Amino acid sequence: MQLYANPAGGARAELLRPVQDLIDVWAPDLHLVREQPEELKELFQRAKHYWHYEAPGDQRALDPLGFYRMKPWVGFQQGMTGGGYWVYSSSEFWSDNPGAGTEYGTVYPTDEGPVTTRRWEASREGIQDFELLWLLRKTAEKSRTPDRQAAFDLVGEAVKFVTQGQEAVTDISRHVRPYTPDYARWMDYRRQLIQMQLRL
């Protein structure tokens, strides 16, 4: 059995250190990573998995690109191996009063099967982006071609562009304004990453 831990709130490094060898999957709330980068980085990276996590309230109001597709890029930037969010699916999707409660789900169940959302599609595409970044970095590490350094540079440049402005972003601030980079340029970086992977 693998143990998953989702530290949040006021969890400090000294509180988490005694259990660090018991945890297989760390998925800390992003604000902890922002507030204690040096203290927690080594602790979290000792585990088999280190995931990105945030759970801001009513996610239907968030920009799918600036939150769901962005999350894997932030996770990659932080040296994480994956990511997650509060739930894939929950209840009360079709409420006639959507402002009455929070909505964390991304897929709506129906009698005829699941109905996807823009949030889920953006999340799926973000996962693909993460896999592309990871694959290109691993390929570049093994490559002995002249393009090796160019591949590392491209990954760094793309991640810096996509995550620009995310340095202090955590749950609450996502409701203040969208954090979405220029989409055309974002997709241009994605094409360049794919082309570089094929070239290597």
Side-chain angles (χ1 to χ4, degrees):
M1 180 174 72
Q2 294 193 69
L3 295 179
Y4 169 97
N6 175 218
R12 311 318 293 169
E14 58 270 17
L15 177 72
L16 302 175
R17 207 166 275 119
V19 297
Q20 66 184 2
D21 294 329
L22 302 174
I23 306 301
D24 299 290
V25 181
W26 283 112
D29 198 0
L30 188 58
H31 84 272
L32 292 183
V33 178
R34 301 283 195 213
E35 292 171 8
Q36 308 171 75
E38 297 308 315
E39 297 92 330
L40 292 175
K41 184 176 181 179
E42 183 183 350
L43 186 150
F44 291 147
Q45 288 182 338
R46 288 173 55 122
K48 293 177 189 172
H49 304 286
Y50 173 30
W51 291 354
H52 178 285
Y53 175 82
E54 279 183 284
D58 199 347
Q59 297 178 7
R60 289 174 296 190
L62 298 176
D63 182 331
L65 292 174
F67 179 64
Y68 286 96
R69 188 157 186 179
M70 177 74 69
K71 284 165 59 65
W73 289 79
V74 172
F76 184 87
Q77 180 190 46
Q78 296 290 330
M80 298 172 179
T81 59
Y85 40 87
W86 186 245
V87 294
Y88 168 79
S89 177
S90 64
S91 60
E92 301 297 329
F93 290 112
W94 308 110
S95 169
D96 59 357
N97 184 9
T102 57
E103 167 59 276
Y104 296 97
T106 58
V107 174
Y108 295 175
T110 72
D111 294 339
E112 297 169 4
V115 174
T116 189
T117 63
R118 291 185 310 151
R119 299 187 302 280
W120 177 247
E121 293 304 319
S123 182
R124 181 184 56 76
E125 290 167 346
I127 292 166
Q128 291 174 349
D129 293 343
F130 184 95
E131 290 174 347
L132 175 59
L133 292 165
W134 192 276
L135 177 63
L136 181 53
R137 186 173 65 187
K138 290 297 179 190
T139 301
E141 287 171 358
K142 295 175 185 174
S143 175
R144 296 293 170 254
T145 69
D147 286 331
R148 181 176 193 264
Q149 188 57 50
F152 287 125
D153 293 344
L154 177 61
V155 168
E157 182 183 324
V159 171
K160 182 178 179 181
F161 168 74
V162 173
T163 61
Q164 186 174 13
Q166 294 284 311
E167 296 79 15
V169 176
T170 59
D171 290 8
I172 295 172
S173 63
R174 295 208 180 270
H175 292 285
V176 177
R177 68 177 179 87
Y179 292 88
T180 307
D182 177 83
Y183 184 71
R185 189 168 171 201
W186 189 351
M187 293 305 99
D188 184 55
Y189 271 119
R190 194 171 193 269
R191 281 188 291 275
Q192 290 180 57
L193 292 164
I194 292 169
Q195 289 165 1
M196 181 64 79
Q197 172 63 28
L198 294 172
R199 199 154 71 231
L200 292 180

